[in-house]
Amino acid sequence: MKVEVVLTEADIAQEFAEAMQARDLPEKFFFWSPRSAMGWKTLTSEPDLYGGLGETWKAIAAGAGALAQHFGGRVPVISFGAGDGERDRLLMTALQRAGCECQYFPVDSSQPMLEIACAGADDEDFETTGIKADISSPVHLVYCADAAEPPRLFIMSGNTISSFDPLAEIRYLAQGLRGGDRLIVDGELYDEHKTMARRDNAAARKFIFTMLSGVGIESDDGEIRFNHKRDERHEGLHLITRSFRAARDLSATVGGEEVSLERGERIGLNFQYTYTPESFRWLVGEQGGLEILEEYISPDGRFLTAICKK
Ligand SMILES: C[S@@+](CC[C@H](N)C(=O)[O-])C[C@H]1O[C@@H](n2cnc3c(N)ncnc32)[C@H](O)[C@@H]1O
C-alpha cells in the first residue's frame, strides 16, 4: 500500500487539541481514529444515510463510455475525502471496462479511512497512491491535484463539500481545474421535514459519540443538539449545526492534556450544508465558475450530482 503524507498524525493531534480548546470540532476529527472508521462503516450500512445516491453513481458508471472517450486511454482519478472509496471504485471499474486505465489517488485526512480506500482499490488491481492531506487547505488541494498531469477526474462525493464552507471550498477546487479536467461533485438537497430527521437520530448520535468517547465524553455526560439556520450569503443555502452541551462539569482528555468543560458549556460539532437545486447550481456555476456538463438528481430527489468542467 502506497500512501503519501502531507498531513501528519502529529499535525492532526495538535489541531485536535487546539480545536477542543476552541470548543469547535470540524469534520476531520470525526473520522480520525480506527474506532471512528469502524463507526462510519456501521453508519453507511444504514440505507437512509445516502438514500438514492448509490443509484446516481450507478447511472454515472453506466455513462462511463463517454467519460472514457473524453480521457482517452488513461485517467487519473483524484478523490477528495474519499472515505472507503466505494463510489470511486464503482466508476473506475466502469471506466476500465470502457477501455480506460485508471490511476487512483484517494485523498483523506483519516489514516484508517485511507487504508480502507487503498486496500479496496489494490484488491481490484487499480494502481493506487493514497494521499493523507487536509482538503480544506488550498495548498494541500493544489498538492493533491498535482499528483497527476491533466486531464484528470476529480471527485468530491457523499455531500463532503458541505462539511466545509462550500462557498470557499468550491473556489479552492475550481482553482485546481485545468482544461480537460472534470469534477464530479454532489450536494444534498434540503427537505423541510426530512433533512433534520436524517441527522437527528440514534445511529448518527452513536457515530458522534464514538468520537467524543475517545476523549472521555460519554452519552450520559450531556446531550447533542441540532439546529437549522439559513446562510444569508445566498438564497437556498441551509446549514444544519450540531453541538454538545455538557450536563455537568466535565473533563476531557485530548492528546494527554486535560480540557475542563463547565456544566452548560457547548462544543460546536461538525456542521453540514444542504441546498435547494438552484442554490447548488449557483454554488458550482457562479461561485465556483464551473460549467455543469451533466447533472443527476437521485431517484429519491435527495442528491444533486454535477459533472463539471472549468
Ligand atoms: C462524508 S465522508 C464521504 C466519503 C466518500 N466520499 C463517500 O462518498 O462516501 C467524508 C470523508 O472526508 C474525510 N474528511 C473530512 N474532513 C477532511 C479534511 N479536512 N481533509 C481530508 N479529508 C477529510 C473524512 O475522513 C471522510 O472519509
Side-chain angles (χ1 to χ4, degrees):
M1 188 181 296
K2 211 161 100 190
V3 175
E4 279 183 27
V5 177
V6 186
L7 178 70
T8 64
E9 288 297 282
D11 291 337
I12 304 176
Q14 171 77 23
E15 283 180 37
F16 193 15
E18 287 167 5
M20 197 68 184
Q21 293 289 358
R23 311 291 192 258
D24 187 12
L25 297 176
E27 175 87 341
K28 65 171 170 272
F29 303 120
F30 290 80
F31 293 85
W32 185 29
S33 72
R35 270 187 77 217
S36 288
M38 287 308 292
W40 178 245
K41 192 167 183 239
T42 308
L43 194 59
T44 50
S45 66
E46 301 272 330
D48 201 38
L49 185 76
Y50 279 123
L53 187 60
E55 295 305 311
T56 291
W57 277 80
K58 284 183 196 156
I60 295 173
L67 270 177
Q69 211 166 21
H70 167 75
F71 285 104
R74 165 200 154 274
V75 55
V77 176
I78 302 177
S79 178
F80 296 120
D84 62 13
E86 198 178 318
R87 272 180 255 287
D88 306 335
R89 290 196 295 280
L90 180 77
L91 179 56
M92 289 194 300
T93 302
L95 284 165
Q96 206 173 37
R97 284 202 188 113
C100 209
E101 192 191 319
C102 298
Q103 264 180 303
Y104 184 41
F105 301 92
V107 180
D108 212 286
S109 52
S110 157
Q111 178 73 25
M113 293 306 307
L114 206 49
E115 287 171 8
I116 294 168
C118 289
D122 283 343
D123 285 352
E124 294 186 25
D125 287 332
F126 292 110
E127 188 190 330
T128 302
T129 306
I131 307 178
K132 188 152 167 280
D134 189 330
I135 58 173
S136 67
S137 153
V139 175
H140 286 204
L141 280 175
V142 168
Y143 179 91
C144 298
D146 284 349
E149 293 295 315
R152 302 154 294 191
L153 176 60
F154 295 112
I155 296 174
M156 191 175 266
S157 70
N159 207 28
T160 294
I161 194 168
S162 308
S163 300
F164 308 106
D165 174 356
L167 276 66
E169 191 68 14
I170 193 72
R171 284 189 171 244
Y172 300 156
L173 281 173
Q175 274 163 18
L177 257 70
R178 302 279 170 269
D181 289 343
R182 296 288 181 267
L183 167 69
I184 304 180
V185 60
D186 60 32
E188 183 172 344
L189 300 179
Y190 176 70
D191 180 295
E192 195 183 337
H193 305 290
K194 295 183 190 154
T195 295
M196 191 57 96
R198 283 173 183 140
R199 287 163 174 80
D200 188 354
N201 57 57
R205 281 165 189 273
K206 193 170 169 206
F207 178 65
I208 293 171
F209 271 110
T210 307
M211 191 280 284
L212 290 176
S213 68
V215 296
I217 299 176
E218 302 298 338
S219 53
D220 57 358
D221 286 332
E223 56 165 346
I224 297 189
R225 292 182 172 181
F226 292 73
N227 196 10
H228 168 240
K229 295 178 188 169
R230 283 170 197 273
D231 183 333
E232 301 300 340
R233 290 177 296 173
H234 192 79
E235 175 74 33
L237 298 175
H238 295 265
L239 175 61
I240 310 296
T241 60
R242 325 183 230 217
S243 59
F244 169 81
R245 185 174 177 278
R248 51 174 166 266
D249 292 352
L250 293 177
S251 145
T253 309
V254 184
E257 276 177 42
E258 230 180 79
V259 179
S260 301
L261 284 176
E262 284 178 17
R263 179 171 176 266
E265 213 179 320
R266 284 164 199 253
I267 305 174
L269 306 176
N270 53 346
F271 58 81
Q272 267 182 350
Y273 276 81
T274 59
Y275 314 84
T276 56
E278 297 73 24
S279 68
F280 189 71
R281 291 183 192 115
W282 167 84
L283 178 75
V284 174
E286 302 294 319
Q287 183 67 16
L290 300 175
E291 182 185 342
I292 298 181
L293 299 171
E294 277 175 73
E295 70 167 52
Y296 297 79
I297 303 256
S298 60
D300 55 2
R302 185 165 158 198
F303 287 91
L304 198 164
T305 303
I307 303 186
C308 351
K309 71 169 191 174
K310 200 156 188 177

